[in-house]
Amino acid sequence: MTTPSHGVPTLKSPTRRGLMATAVAAVLTPTLVRAAEPVVTIALRFDLTRAGTVFEGWGTALAWFANVTGGWPDADRERLADLLYGPNGLGWTIARYNIGGGDRPDAKPYLRPGAAVPGFWRQPDGAAGVDWWTPDDPAMWDWSADASQRWWLDAIKTRVRAPVLEAFSNSPPWFMTVSGKVSGAEKGTDDNLRPGQEALFAAYLARVVDELQRRHGVAFRTLSPVNEPNTDYWHAANTQEGAHWSPRRQGEMILATQAALKARGLATVVSAPDETNSHLFLADWAAYPREARAAIGQLNVHSYGTVNQTGVRDAARAAGIRLWMSENDNPLDKDPEDFEGMASPLAFAEHVVLDLKRLEPAAWVFWQAVENLSARDGSKGSNWGLIKADYSRPPEGPHTIHVTRRYWVMAQFSRFIRPGYRLVPIDDLDTVGALSPDGKTLALVHVNGGLSPRRLAPPAGWSGQMIVTDAQHRAEPIAGFVVPPRAVATLILKRRSE
């Protein structure tokens, strides 16, 4: 690939000659490929008269993999950063930085590998109890903390001209919690922030945002103070940071965070509620008072459930607030760990297509781009993540980096649906499309999860190129428009010159 001045990956010639001009309604008609193959007809109708959502890009949360890989040797961590944010990699432009709560210094380790994200507070010698921390005392802060995740901020900054950054929190620091643990309250349905601690916790988050911006020369556009709040996931026996928040406490925390950001003179705005699915998002949103709704500058939803997604889309439109799909990873359930298998990649691709079609979000953000190897001690493991590595290896290595087929399926989307493109309504469940800002480029991503090839035939007067990931190809151009079985294809179309 080559890299134009704005950092967006493009294909080398002659591939570039296959990119497109003004997009219009098209019909793609798979036809018979061989006598033994069935005839399948798919009509894709584009509505280019309706202004679709302007898409801001793709990215990942940095916790927990950044907490592990940011301390690796330069050759390994630079390779990972290139794979995700480099112009010859996925070309991502978004990152979510996890502000760790941080467990008590004398706590016996209980969090899963990578999940013990350090907090930026410092407990003075002799301090006891839970009410010793004051944000205005410089001795209470440790700005050397979380060096591994902060390395990723610098790595992204060097690869992306104007990265879109969000800070988010999974849990308050241990001394602000009811249980004394950052994994949650004793019961997963109990709030874990101590009553009356909203302003103190908000001051902690806002100060961290302020300091990281100054020290690393970056800008956090949004700050999300709660994560998957109205669930029963987060309890003291859990192995990752998390906290339950009732809708009432969410509203109080949103207002406290807005006040803390304004007190520091920051342009960063509040994002919320980062709920685990659309159904719970709507329950939270319905319970917020008017003041809390007005304090939100970006609506975040995860897509671990797909019920009521168009309801979230409509809530965001009615409120006039930008909507992100801010977290998902969707491997096929019970699919054993397999770097080259296509079952989980196809499930993932279908999920992305439907998220884009139903939520119509301004961004789609992966959970953990780099995951720990999971097939251990006779277990079959799972296919979370796009890249796999062994978290148990010492930081100095050696480290083996496994780039999976899910990575290449992600490339089918992120290399071609670029920031600034507009999502285009398409009358086909297996296809999502986006139009370039100048209206000259139309990228279509099609998922063929079936066993028969599908011929995608552009209408007369159109030409282009098809990029495919399947068991034999890794985001590679192939001749013609026949999508192999069990494959993901991206079509790049242009009108042929008269």
Side-chain angles (χ1 to χ4, degrees):
M1 294 184 207
T2 58
T3 307
S5 59
H6 56 297
V8 175
T10 59
L11 296 172
K12 291 182 179 178
S13 298
T15 299
R16 185 176 294 155
R17 294 197 296 271
L19 298 181
M20 43 202 124
T22 306
V24 296
V27 176
L28 305 185
T29 307
T31 58
L32 194 64
V33 179
R34 296 192 305 269
E37 294 171 351
V39 177
V40 181
T41 300
I42 300 173
L44 303 183
R45 299 178 178 88
F46 311 145
D47 182 3
L48 302 183
T49 63
R50 197 189 89 185
T53 299
V54 177
F55 197 67
E56 295 188 300
W58 312 83
T60 184
L62 298 179
W64 308 300
F65 79 88
N67 188 30
V68 176
T69 63
W72 285 2
D74 280 343
D76 294 326
R77 62 187 184 180
E78 294 284 356
R79 183 188 173 202
L80 288 174
D82 284 339
L83 282 167
L84 301 179
Y85 289 94
N88 294 326
L90 295 179
W92 282 351
T93 57
I94 293 172
R96 302 185 74 224
Y97 182 97
N98 180 211
I99 300 177
D103 241 323
R104 62 193 314 144
D106 59 350
K108 182 180 178 180
Y110 65 97
L111 299 178
R112 63 193 297 174
V117 179
F120 287 95
W121 48 266
R122 177 184 284 116
Q123 183 171 353
D125 294 339
V130 293
D131 293 318
W132 46 266
W133 191 77
T134 55
D136 295 331
D137 183 353
M140 299 287 183
W141 294 94
D142 179 8
W143 300 116
S144 67
D146 203 17
S148 293
Q149 191 178 190
R150 289 189 292 107
W151 179 89
W152 273 89
L153 283 181
D154 296 333
I156 293 167
K157 179 184 172 184
T158 64
R159 288 164 174 81
V160 182
R161 185 183 63 181
V164 180
L165 300 179
E166 177 168 77
F168 75 102
S169 168
N170 287 323
S171 170
W174 71 270
F175 49 85
M176 297 183 194
T177 68
V178 174
S179 67
K181 301 182 75 173
V182 295
S183 51
E186 293 300 324
K187 290 176 57 180
T189 53
D190 289 347
D191 293 345
N192 202 31
L193 182 73
R194 291 165 53 207
Q197 294 283 300
E198 284 82 5
L200 194 66
F201 181 34
Y204 171 75
L205 295 176
R207 176 69 185 276
V208 172
V209 166
D210 196 1
E211 290 289 337
L212 292 180
Q213 289 189 152
R214 290 193 305 104
R215 292 168 184 267
H216 291 270
V218 297
F220 287 98
R221 191 176 70 180
T222 50
L223 168 61
S224 174
V226 301
N227 178 67
E228 299 185 341
N230 195 11
T231 68
D232 59 0
Y233 301 166
W234 317 120
H235 51 85
N238 204 359
T239 60
Q240 64 190 73
E241 287 194 346
H244 180 274
W245 300 78
S246 65
R248 179 183 65 81
R249 297 290 299 279
Q250 290 178 47
E252 293 172 358
M253 191 63 211
I254 288 166
L255 290 169
T257 303
Q258 182 196 44
L261 291 169
K262 286 185 176 181
R264 301 200 70 84
L266 299 178
T268 308
V269 298
V270 179
S271 54
D274 265 310
E275 195 54 88
T276 190
N277 58 45
S278 292
H279 174 72
L280 288 176
F281 173 104
L282 291 172
D284 295 345
W285 182 250
Y288 289 169
R290 180 181 303 174
E291 295 79 8
R293 289 189 181 190
I296 297 172
Q298 177 176 293
L299 290 170
N300 285 1
V301 69
H302 304 175
S303 63
Y304 293 110
T306 56
V307 175
N308 301 149
Q309 283 190 307
T310 55
V312 171
R313 176 203 64 192
D314 292 349
R317 286 179 179 173
I321 304 175
R322 177 179 58 245
L323 173 66
W324 271 20
M325 198 307 292
S326 56
E327 182 186 314
N328 184 264
D329 184 0
N330 197 50
L332 192 65
D333 186 39
K334 297 181 176 62
D335 186 27
E337 185 172 74
D338 184 350
F339 306 145
E340 297 297 329
M342 283 299 296
S344 282
L346 287 167
F348 168 62
E350 284 197 8
H351 193 99
V352 175
V353 166
L354 291 177
D355 277 358
L356 294 182
K357 292 172 80 72
R358 294 193 291 201
L359 287 170
E360 299 181 41
W364 200 98
V365 184
F366 202 80
W367 167 226
Q368 288 292 279
V370 185
E371 276 282 1
N372 194 9
L373 293 176
S374 58
R376 300 175 183 272
D377 302 322
S379 71
K380 294 182 178 180
S382 62
N383 290 296
W384 288 75
L386 305 177
I387 298 169
K388 288 292 188 88
D390 188 351
Y391 283 11
S392 68
R393 299 293 303 171
E396 60 271 17
H399 299 287
T400 301
I401 295 170
H402 304 277
V403 178
T404 73
R405 292 282 167 174
R406 297 183 85 218
Y407 173 92
W408 296 109
V409 163
M410 182 77 254
Q412 297 284 150
F413 293 92
S414 64
R415 287 183 178 178
F416 305 104
I417 298 179
R418 300 299 304 167
Y421 278 48
R422 285 186 176 272
L423 299 181
V424 174
I426 298 178
D427 189 14
D428 176 64
L429 285 176
D430 292 326
T431 309
V432 68
L435 186 68
S436 65
D438 61 7
K440 296 180 179 180
T441 300
L442 184 63
L444 307 174
V445 184
H446 179 86
V447 182
N448 180 8
L451 301 178
S452 298
R454 296 176 181 174
R455 182 182 297 277
L456 306 180
W462 286 79
S463 64
Q465 182 184 28
M466 186 170 70
I467 315 298
V468 168
T469 291
D470 63 2
Q472 288 76 42
H473 303 89
R474 296 178 175 88
E476 299 170 21
I478 65 174
F481 295 98
V482 177
V483 183
R486 312 286 286 170
V488 180
T490 303
L491 268 65
I492 312 297
L493 299 178
K494 71 173 184 178
R495 188 192 298 274
R496 290 197 294 268
S497 300
E498 298 296 336

